[in-house]
Each structure stands twice: as structure tokens, then as C-alpha cells.
Amino acid sequence: MAMVNAAMTLNLQAGMPLKNSSVRASRLASVKKCVEFEGKYGALAVKGTGRPNMEDTLSIVVDPKGKEPAFFGVFDGHGGIAVADLLKTGFWPVYKNQLSGSDPVRATESAYYEFDQLTLAQPKGLFGGMRERGVGGSRCGATAATVVLKQSEDGQQKIIAANVGDARVVLARGGNAIQLTFDHKPDVEEERKRIEKKNPVPKKPLVVNVDGTWRVGGLLALSRAFGDVYLKDWTDGKLDGARGGFGLTAEPHVTVKTLLPEDELIILATDGLWEKISNQEVVDFCTSAGKEQPLDTTIKGLIKLAQDRGTTDDISIVIVRLS
């Protein structure tokens, strides 16, 4: 099984087949070269023009023989890269273990919940109890959008798409864009109501508008994410001990579909792309290029378009070619 992380693009030329059985990278950097594998998928992550540090990561795990499920994920960090880095290297093993069951929705939800608990843990060691709770600190977190391609028992190819936060998965089916994920934002009515149900002081809303942006606790412009222990429901388990919670959760939105002959592409990307380009525009851009155009050229074109329209955010994109 070949494992691809965004930083590998520093060592691969576009179109170069992977020869290493397992390749890992310790840190995602600002990437200028796009990785492409046999024309089937491409991936690229770039640091935003207005960002001091890169906080996006991505991960691809594929079995060249096609016997194992294929995994694709993009992760958008905030408050540091620690949670996004942990997702890049550690999420798929947890997820794959959960997929051994027969219910892909429950397996996906369990994997997201299980991994989130890892991000909320108290640091270990002699002085761990004196340090800030959570991987990367209490304000470090990440959104995620993931795809698993898996053959069902009846031989049909299934896609399991999931997300927390505002990273998206879009399927191109017959030229039409189908969003398989849901943008988890505090201004979405159902999200706001869910969060306010946790409010111990109803007269003081948990979701508030700060300078035109709705935020949980007046701080985070997301209603679901990994990490962010300072906004999560947690307790140290002790009577009258430490606890916290503003209704933030890592419960994913999950979509399971059977792939059809007219399905062309799967596009995963962090919000740096979607905030400036609509789902249908992205699909039109990708399909109009034709199958002969290398995916790295298509991805670089999408990033340039988003930046030309004014995005200054980090952008991570993975495109999977289905037909």
C-alpha cells in the first residue's frame, strides 16, 4: 500500500508512479509541485498568501492492487497545525479499523468520535497535568473532509464521504456537482439550536455575531471540528473537577452512495477553494479540461482562480478521477 502525504510532492514529479511501499512526511510545507499517481488522482496543498504559517494537510492511502479500501482526506488546521498533522498521519488507521463492521455510517461516526478523543487528551508525562489540555493546546483544532472508496459485498463500488467543519467533498456526476458534505457553521439554524441546547445560561447566547461573523463562544467560526478542547464538552471525571463545553462537536456528516458509470470525479478541498468558487464552477473547470489534461495542471488552475478572486487562505485539493 502506498501512502501519500502532501509534503511528498516535494520529492515527486507529476505523473511519477510511487515506488516506495510506504512513504511518510513529518510536516506539510508550502508545496509547489503537485503529486499525481497514474492519472487517477492528484493532490496539492499551498500556503495562503495572507498566512504566516501553513496549517493545511492532506493524506492519500491507496492499494495499487485495489484490494483494500482507498482513503483520501484534507484537513484544515486552526490555532496551529498539530491537530491537522495528527489527522494526516493517524486518522486512517483508526478509521480503517472501524470499517470492519457492516454499517459504514456508524463506522465513520465512531472513527471521528474516537479520533477526536485523542485530540482532547491531557498531555502525558510528569508535568502533563500542569500543561494545557489538547493536542497543540486547547485552541488548536482542524476541519476535515474524507472519502473512502470501498467495494461492497455485491461487487458495487461505494463512496463514503464525511466531514466536520467547512471542508467539502463534491462528486461530479454527468457534469453536475453533487455536494456530499455539509458546511458546519454557527449561523446554520439547526447548528445554532443544537449548540444553544447546551447553554447553561440561556440569557447569554453561546453563538454570537462578532464583526459580521457568527462564532461559537464568540471565538470559533465553525460549529464542528476536531480538537478545540476549550469549546468541547469534556470532564476529567472527578467529582467537582474540571469540565468545559460550548457545544462544539466532531460528529460528522456522512453520505454513502453507489458509484455510477456517469460519475467522473471526486473533489475534496478545504474552504480556501470553496469560499471563492462554487461547486458547479469547480466541476465545470475540471471536466472542461478533458481527461487528457494532467490533474496537476487542473489543480494548479483551480488554486490560481481562487487566489485571483481574492482568497488568502491555505488551500488543499485532492481530485480522484473515476472514469
Coordinates of all heavy atoms in Angstrom, one line a residue, residues 223-298:
S223 N -19.0 25.2 13.7 CA -19.8 24.6 14.7 C -19.4 23.1 15.0 O -19.9 22.5 15.9 CB -21.3 24.6 14.3 OG -21.5 24.0 13.1
R224 N -18.5 22.6 14.1 CA -18.0 21.2 14.3 C -16.5 21.2 13.9 O -16.1 21.8 12.9 CB -18.8 20.2 13.5 CG -20.2 20.2 13.9 CD -21.0 19.0 13.3 NE -22.4 19.2 13.5 CZ -23.3 18.2 13.4 NH1 -22.9 17.0 13.1 NH2 -24.6 18.5 13.5
A225 N -15.7 20.5 14.6 CA -14.3 20.4 14.3 C -13.6 19.4 15.2 O -14.1 19.0 16.3 CB -13.6 21.8 14.5
F226 N -12.4 18.9 14.8 CA -11.6 18.1 15.7 C -10.8 19.1 16.6 O -10.5 20.2 16.2 CB -10.6 17.3 14.9 CG -11.2 16.1 14.2 CD1 -11.4 16.1 12.8 CD2 -11.4 14.9 14.9 CE1 -11.9 15.0 12.2 CE2 -11.9 13.8 14.2 CZ -12.2 13.8 12.9
G227 N -10.5 18.6 17.8 CA -9.8 19.4 18.7 C -10.6 20.5 19.4 O -11.7 20.3 19.7
D228 N -10.0 21.7 19.6 CA -10.6 22.8 20.2 C -11.2 22.4 21.5 O -12.4 22.7 21.8 CB -11.7 23.4 19.3 CG -11.1 24.0 18.0 OD1 -10.3 24.9 18.1 OD2 -11.5 23.5 16.9
V229 N -10.4 21.9 22.4 CA -10.9 21.4 23.7 C -11.6 22.4 24.5 O -12.6 22.1 25.3 CB -9.8 20.7 24.5 CG1 -8.8 21.7 24.9 CG2 -10.3 19.9 25.7
Y230 N -11.3 23.7 24.3 CA -11.9 24.7 25.1 C -13.3 25.0 24.8 O -14.0 25.6 25.6 CB -11.1 26.0 25.0 CG -11.2 26.8 23.7 CD1 -11.8 28.0 23.6 CD2 -10.8 26.2 22.5 CE1 -11.9 28.7 22.4 CE2 -10.9 26.9 21.3 CZ -11.5 28.2 21.3 OH -11.6 28.8 20.1
L231 N -13.8 24.4 23.6 CA -15.2 24.6 23.3 C -15.9 23.2 23.3 O -17.1 23.2 22.9 CB -15.3 25.2 21.8 CG -14.8 26.6 21.7 CD1 -14.8 27.0 20.2 CD2 -15.6 27.6 22.5
K232 N -15.3 22.2 23.6 CA -15.8 20.8 23.6 C -16.4 20.5 25.0 O -16.0 21.0 26.0 CB -14.8 19.8 23.3 CG -14.3 19.8 21.8 CD -15.3 19.1 20.9 CE -15.0 19.2 19.5 NZ -13.7 18.6 19.1
D233 N -17.4 19.6 25.0 CA -18.0 19.0 26.2 C -17.0 18.0 26.7 O -16.7 17.0 26.0 CB -19.3 18.3 26.0 CG -20.4 19.4 25.6 OD1 -20.3 20.5 26.1 OD2 -21.2 19.0 24.7
W234 N -16.4 18.2 27.8 CA -15.4 17.3 28.4 C -15.4 17.4 29.9 O -15.8 18.4 30.5 CB -14.0 17.5 27.9 CG -13.4 18.8 28.2 CD1 -13.6 20.0 27.5 CD2 -12.7 19.1 29.4 NE1 -12.9 21.0 28.2 CE2 -12.3 20.5 29.3 CE3 -12.2 18.4 30.5 CZ2 -11.6 21.1 30.3 CZ3 -11.5 19.0 31.4 CH2 -11.2 20.4 31.4
T235 N -14.9 16.4 30.6 CA -14.7 16.4 32.0 C -13.5 15.5 32.3 O -13.2 14.6 31.6 CB -16.0 15.9 32.7 OG1 -15.7 15.8 34.1 CG2 -16.4 14.5 32.2
D236 N -12.9 15.8 33.4 CA -11.7 15.0 33.8 C -12.2 13.8 34.7 O -11.4 13.0 35.2 CB -10.7 15.8 34.6 CG -11.3 16.4 35.9 OD1 -12.4 16.1 36.2 OD2 -10.6 17.2 36.5
G237 N -13.5 13.7 34.8 CA -14.1 12.5 35.5 C -14.1 12.6 37.0 O -14.5 11.7 37.7
K238 N -13.6 13.7 37.6 CA -13.5 13.8 39.0 C -14.7 14.6 39.5 O -15.2 15.5 38.9 CB -12.2 14.6 39.4 CG -10.9 13.8 39.0 CD -9.7 14.7 39.4 CE -8.4 14.0 38.9 NZ -7.2 14.8 39.2
L239 N -15.1 14.3 40.7 CA -16.2 15.0 41.4 C -15.8 16.4 41.6 O -14.8 16.7 42.2 CB -16.6 14.3 42.7 CG -17.8 14.9 43.4 CD1 -19.1 14.6 42.6 CD2 -18.0 14.2 44.8
D240 N -16.6 17.3 41.1 CA -16.3 18.8 41.2 C -15.0 19.1 40.5 O -14.3 20.0 40.9 CB -16.3 19.2 42.7 CG -17.6 19.1 43.3 OD1 -18.6 19.3 42.7 OD2 -17.6 18.8 44.5
G241 N -14.6 18.3 39.5 CA -13.4 18.5 38.8 C -13.5 19.4 37.6 O -14.5 20.1 37.5
A242 N -12.5 19.4 36.8 CA -12.5 20.3 35.6 C -13.5 19.8 34.6 O -13.6 18.6 34.3 CB -11.1 20.4 35.1
R243 N -14.1 20.8 33.9 CA -15.0 20.4 32.8 C -15.2 21.6 31.9 O -14.8 22.8 32.3 CB -16.4 20.0 33.3 CG -17.2 21.0 34.1 CD -18.5 20.4 34.7 NE -18.2 19.4 35.6 CZ -18.5 18.1 35.4 NH1 -19.0 17.7 34.3 NH2 -18.2 17.2 36.4
G244 N -15.7 21.4 30.7 CA -15.9 22.5 29.8 C -16.9 22.2 28.7 O -17.4 21.0 28.7
G245 N -17.2 23.1 27.9 CA -18.2 22.8 26.8 C -19.0 24.0 26.3 O -19.6 24.6 27.1
F246 N -18.9 24.2 25.0 CA -19.7 25.2 24.3 C -20.5 24.6 23.2 O -21.0 25.3 22.3 CB -18.8 26.3 23.8 CG -18.5 27.4 24.8 CD1 -17.4 27.2 25.6 CD2 -19.2 28.5 24.9 CE1 -17.0 28.1 26.5 CE2 -18.9 29.5 25.8 CZ -17.8 29.3 26.7
G247 N -20.7 23.3 23.2 CA -21.5 22.6 22.2 C -20.8 22.2 20.9 O -21.4 21.7 20.0
L248 N -19.5 22.5 20.8 CA -18.7 22.1 19.6 C -18.6 20.6 19.6 O -18.5 20.0 20.7 CB -17.3 22.7 19.7 CG -16.5 22.6 18.3 CD1 -17.1 23.6 17.3 CD2 -15.0 22.9 18.6
T249 N -18.6 20.0 18.5 CA -18.6 18.5 18.4 C -17.8 18.1 17.1 O -17.6 18.9 16.2 CB -20.0 17.9 18.3 OG1 -19.9 16.5 18.2 CG2 -20.8 18.5 17.1
A250 N -17.4 16.8 17.1 CA -16.7 16.3 15.9 C -17.6 15.2 15.3 O -17.2 14.4 14.5 CB -15.4 15.6 16.3
E251 N -18.9 15.3 15.6 CA -19.9 14.4 14.9 C -19.9 14.7 13.4 O -20.2 15.9 13.0 CB -21.3 14.6 15.5 CG -22.3 13.7 14.8 CD -23.7 13.9 15.3 OE1 -23.9 14.7 16.3 OE2 -24.6 13.2 14.8
P252 N -19.6 13.7 12.5 CA -19.5 14.1 11.1 C -20.8 14.0 10.4 O -21.8 13.3 10.8 CB -18.6 13.0 10.6 CG -18.9 11.8 11.5 CD -19.2 12.4 12.8
H253 N -20.9 14.7 9.3 CA -22.0 14.4 8.3 C -21.5 13.3 7.4 O -20.3 13.4 6.9 CB -22.2 15.7 7.5 CG -23.2 15.5 6.4 ND1 -24.6 15.8 6.6 CD2 -23.1 15.1 5.1 CE1 -25.2 15.6 5.4 NE2 -24.4 15.1 4.5
V254 N -22.3 12.3 7.2 CA -21.8 11.1 6.4 C -22.8 10.8 5.3 O -24.0 10.8 5.4 CB -21.7 9.9 7.3 CG1 -21.1 8.7 6.5 CG2 -20.9 10.1 8.5
T255 N -22.2 10.6 4.1 CA -23.0 10.3 2.9 C -22.4 9.0 2.3 O -21.2 8.9 2.1 CB -23.0 11.4 1.8 OG1 -23.6 12.6 2.4 CG2 -23.8 11.0 0.6
V256 N -23.3 8.0 2.0 CA -22.8 6.8 1.3 C -23.6 6.7 0.0 O -24.8 6.7 0.0 CB -23.1 5.6 2.2 CG1 -22.6 4.3 1.5 CG2 -22.4 5.7 3.6
K257 N -22.9 6.5 -1.1 CA -23.5 6.4 -2.4 C -22.8 5.3 -3.2 O -21.6 5.0 -3.0 CB -23.4 7.7 -3.2 CG -24.4 8.8 -2.8 CD -24.2 10.0 -3.7 CE -25.3 11.0 -3.4 NZ -26.7 10.6 -3.6
T258 N -23.6 4.7 -4.1 CA -23.1 3.7 -5.0 C -22.6 4.5 -6.2 O -23.3 5.3 -6.8 CB -24.1 2.7 -5.4 OG1 -24.6 2.0 -4.3 CG2 -23.6 1.7 -6.5
L259 N -21.4 4.3 -6.6 CA -20.8 5.0 -7.8 C -21.5 4.5 -9.1 O -21.7 3.3 -9.2 CB -19.3 4.8 -7.9 CG -18.5 5.6 -6.8 CD1 -17.0 5.3 -6.9 CD2 -18.8 7.1 -6.8
L260 N -21.8 5.4 -10.0 CA -22.4 5.1 -11.3 C -21.5 5.3 -12.4 O -20.5 6.0 -12.3 CB -23.7 5.9 -11.4 CG -24.7 5.9 -10.3 CD1 -25.9 6.9 -10.6 CD2 -25.2 4.5 -10.1
P261 N -21.8 4.7 -13.6 CA -20.9 4.9 -14.8 C -20.7 6.4 -15.2 O -19.7 6.7 -15.7 CB -21.7 4.1 -15.9 CG -22.5 3.1 -15.1 CD -22.9 3.8 -13.9
E262 N -21.7 7.2 -14.9 CA -21.6 8.6 -15.2 C -20.8 9.5 -14.2 O -20.6 10.7 -14.4 CB -23.0 9.3 -15.5 CG -23.9 9.2 -14.3 CD -24.8 8.0 -14.3 OE1 -24.4 6.9 -14.8 OE2 -26.0 8.1 -13.9
D263 N -20.3 8.9 -13.1 CA -19.5 9.6 -12.2 C -18.1 9.8 -12.7 O -17.5 8.8 -13.1 CB -19.5 8.8 -10.8 CG -20.8 8.8 -10.2 OD1 -21.6 9.7 -10.4 OD2 -21.1 7.8 -9.4
E264 N -17.7 11.0 -12.7 CA -16.4 11.4 -13.4 C -15.3 11.7 -12.4 O -14.2 11.2 -12.6 CB -16.6 12.6 -14.2 CG -17.7 12.4 -15.3 CD -18.3 13.8 -15.7 OE1 -19.2 14.3 -14.9 OE2 -18.0 14.2 -16.8
L265 N -15.6 12.5 -11.4 CA -14.5 13.0 -10.5 C -15.1 13.1 -9.1 O -16.2 13.3 -8.9 CB -14.0 14.4 -10.9 CG -13.4 14.5 -12.3 CD1 -13.3 16.0 -12.6 CD2 -12.0 13.9 -12.4
I266 N -14.1 13.0 -8.1 CA -14.4 13.3 -6.7 C -13.4 14.4 -6.4 O -12.2 14.3 -6.6 CB -14.2 12.2 -5.8 CG1 -15.1 11.0 -6.2 CG2 -14.5 12.6 -4.3 CD1 -14.8 9.7 -5.4
I267 N -13.9 15.5 -5.8 CA -13.1 16.7 -5.5 C -13.2 16.9 -4.0 O -14.3 17.1 -3.5 CB -13.5 17.9 -6.2 CG1 -13.4 17.7 -7.8 CG2 -12.6 19.1 -5.9 CD1 -14.6 18.2 -8.5
L268 N -12.1 16.8 -3.3 CA -12.0 17.2 -1.9 C -11.2 18.5 -1.8 O -10.2 18.6 -2.4 CB -11.3 16.1 -1.0 CG -11.9 14.7 -1.0 CD1 -11.4 13.9 -2.2 CD2 -11.5 14.0 0.3
A269 N -11.7 19.4 -0.9 CA -10.9 20.7 -0.8 C -11.2 21.3 0.5 O -12.4 21.2 1.0 CB -11.1 21.6 -2.0
T270 N -10.3 22.1 1.1 CA -10.5 22.9 2.2 C -11.2 24.2 1.8 O -11.4 24.5 0.6 CB -9.2 23.2 3.0 OG1 -8.3 23.8 2.0 CG2 -8.6 21.9 3.6
D271 N -11.7 25.0 2.8 CA -12.6 26.1 2.4 C -11.9 27.2 1.7 O -12.6 28.1 1.1 CB -13.2 26.7 3.7 CG -12.2 27.4 4.6 OD1 -11.1 26.8 4.8 OD2 -12.5 28.5 5.1
G272 N -10.6 27.2 1.6 CA -9.9 28.2 0.8 C -10.3 28.2 -0.6 O -10.3 29.3 -1.3
L273 N -10.7 27.1 -1.1 CA -11.2 27.0 -2.5 C -12.7 27.4 -2.6 O -13.1 28.2 -3.4 CB -11.0 25.5 -3.0 CG -11.6 25.3 -4.5 CD1 -10.7 26.0 -5.5 CD2 -11.6 23.8 -4.8
W274 N -13.5 26.8 -1.7 CA -15.0 26.9 -1.9 C -15.5 28.3 -1.5 O -16.5 28.7 -2.0 CB -15.6 25.9 -1.0 CG -15.2 24.5 -1.2 CD1 -14.5 23.7 -0.3 CD2 -15.3 23.7 -2.3 NE1 -14.2 22.5 -0.8 CE2 -14.7 22.4 -2.1 CE3 -15.9 23.9 -3.6 CZ2 -14.7 21.4 -3.0 CZ3 -15.9 22.9 -4.5 CH2 -15.3 21.6 -4.2
E275 N -14.7 29.1 -0.8 CA -15.2 30.4 -0.4 C -15.2 31.4 -1.6 O -15.8 32.4 -1.5 CB -14.3 31.0 0.7 CG -12.9 31.3 0.4 CD -12.1 31.8 1.6 OE1 -12.6 31.7 2.7 OE2 -10.9 32.3 1.3
K276 N -14.5 31.0 -2.7 CA -14.5 31.9 -3.8 C -15.0 31.2 -5.1 O -15.2 31.9 -6.1 CB -13.0 32.3 -4.1 CG -12.4 33.2 -3.0 CD -13.2 34.5 -2.8 CE -12.6 35.4 -1.7 NZ -13.3 36.6 -1.6
I277 N -15.2 29.9 -5.1 CA -15.6 29.2 -6.3 C -16.8 28.3 -6.0 O -16.6 27.5 -5.0 CB -14.5 28.4 -7.0 CG1 -13.2 29.3 -7.1 CG2 -14.9 27.9 -8.4 CD1 -12.0 28.6 -7.7
S278 N -17.8 28.3 -6.7 CA -19.0 27.4 -6.4 C -18.7 26.0 -6.8 O -17.8 25.7 -7.6 CB -20.2 27.9 -7.1 OG -20.1 27.7 -8.5
N279 N -19.5 25.1 -6.2 CA -19.3 23.7 -6.5 C -19.4 23.4 -8.0 O -18.6 22.7 -8.6 CB -20.4 22.8 -5.8 CG -20.3 22.9 -4.3 OD1 -19.3 23.3 -3.8 ND2 -21.4 22.4 -3.6
Q280 N -20.4 24.0 -8.7 CA -20.6 23.7 -10.1 C -19.5 24.3 -10.9 O -19.0 23.7 -11.9 CB -21.9 24.3 -10.6 CG -22.3 23.9 -12.0 CD -22.5 22.3 -12.1 OE1 -23.2 21.7 -11.4 NE2 -21.8 21.8 -13.1
E281 N -19.0 25.5 -10.5 CA -17.8 26.1 -11.2 C -16.6 25.2 -11.2 O -15.9 25.0 -12.1 CB -17.5 27.5 -10.6 CG -18.3 28.6 -11.1 CD -17.8 29.9 -10.5 OE1 -17.9 30.2 -9.3 OE2 -17.2 30.7 -11.3
V282 N -16.4 24.6 -10.0 CA -15.2 23.7 -9.8 C -15.4 22.5 -10.8 O -14.5 22.1 -11.4 CB -15.1 23.3 -8.4 CG1 -14.1 22.1 -8.2 CG2 -14.7 24.5 -7.5
V283 N -16.6 21.9 -10.8 CA -16.8 20.7 -11.6 C -16.7 21.1 -13.1 O -16.0 20.4 -13.9 CB -18.2 20.1 -11.3 CG1 -18.6 19.1 -12.4 CG2 -18.2 19.5 -10.0
D284 N -17.2 22.3 -13.5 CA -17.1 22.7 -14.9 C -15.7 22.9 -15.3 O -15.2 22.5 -16.4 CB -17.9 24.0 -15.1 CG -19.4 23.8 -15.0 OD1 -19.9 22.6 -15.1 OD2 -20.1 24.8 -14.9
F285 N -14.9 23.5 -14.4 CA -13.5 23.8 -14.6 C -12.7 22.5 -14.8 O -11.9 22.3 -15.7 CB -12.9 24.5 -13.4 CG -11.5 25.0 -13.6 CD1 -11.3 26.3 -14.1 CD2 -10.4 24.2 -13.4 CE1 -10.0 26.8 -14.3 CE2 -9.1 24.6 -13.6 CZ -8.9 25.9 -14.0
C286 N -13.0 21.5 -14.0 CA -12.3 20.2 -14.1 C -12.7 19.4 -15.3 O -11.9 18.8 -16.0 CB -12.6 19.4 -12.8 SG -11.9 20.1 -11.3
T287 N -14.0 19.3 -15.6 CA -14.5 18.5 -16.7 C -14.2 19.1 -18.0 O -14.0 18.4 -19.0 CB -16.0 18.2 -16.6 OG1 -16.7 19.4 -16.5 CG2 -16.3 17.3 -15.3
S288 N -14.2 20.4 -18.1 CA -14.0 21.1 -19.4 C -12.5 20.9 -19.8 O -12.2 21.0 -21.0 CB -14.3 22.6 -19.3 OG -13.4 23.2 -18.4
A289 N -11.6 20.6 -18.9 CA -10.2 20.4 -19.2 C -10.0 19.1 -20.0 O -9.0 19.0 -20.7 CB -9.4 20.4 -17.9
G290 N -10.9 18.2 -19.8 CA -10.8 16.9 -20.5 C -9.9 15.9 -19.8 O -9.2 16.3 -18.9
K291 N -10.0 14.7 -20.2 CA -9.3 13.6 -19.5 C -7.8 13.6 -19.8 O -7.0 13.0 -19.1 CB -9.9 12.2 -19.8 CG -11.3 12.1 -19.3 CD -11.9 10.7 -19.7 CE -13.3 10.6 -19.3 NZ -13.9 9.3 -19.7
E292 N -7.5 14.3 -20.9 CA -6.1 14.3 -21.3 C -5.2 15.2 -20.5 O -4.0 15.1 -20.5 CB -6.0 14.6 -22.8 CG -6.7 13.6 -23.7 CD -6.3 12.2 -23.5 OE1 -5.0 12.0 -23.5 OE2 -7.1 11.3 -23.5
Q293 N -5.9 16.3 -19.9 CA -5.1 17.2 -19.2 C -4.6 16.6 -17.8 O -5.5 16.0 -17.1 CB -5.9 18.5 -18.9 CG -5.1 19.5 -18.0 CD -5.8 20.8 -18.0 OE1 -5.8 21.6 -19.0 NE2 -6.4 21.2 -16.9
P294 N -3.4 16.7 -17.5 CA -2.9 16.1 -16.2 C -3.7 16.8 -15.1 O -4.0 18.0 -15.1 CB -1.4 16.5 -16.2 CG -1.0 16.7 -17.6 CD -2.3 17.3 -18.3
L295 N -3.9 16.0 -14.0 CA -4.7 16.5 -12.9 C -3.9 17.6 -12.2 O -4.5 18.5 -11.6 CB -5.0 15.4 -11.9 CG -6.1 14.4 -12.4 CD1 -6.3 13.3 -11.4 CD2 -7.4 15.2 -12.5
D296 N -2.6 17.5 -12.2 CA -1.8 18.6 -11.5 C -2.0 19.9 -12.2 O -2.1 21.0 -11.5 CB -0.3 18.2 -11.4 CG 0.4 18.2 -12.8 OD1 -0.3 18.0 -13.8 OD2 1.6 18.4 -12.8
T297 N -2.2 20.0 -13.5 CA -2.5 21.2 -14.2 C -3.8 21.7 -13.8 O -4.0 22.9 -13.6 CB -2.4 21.0 -15.7 OG1 -1.1 20.5 -16.1 CG2 -2.7 22.3 -16.5
T298 N -4.8 20.8 -13.7 CA -6.2 21.2 -13.3 C -6.2 21.8 -11.9 O -6.8 22.9 -11.6 CB -7.1 20.0 -13.4 OG1 -7.1 19.5 -14.7 CG2 -8.5 20.4 -13.0

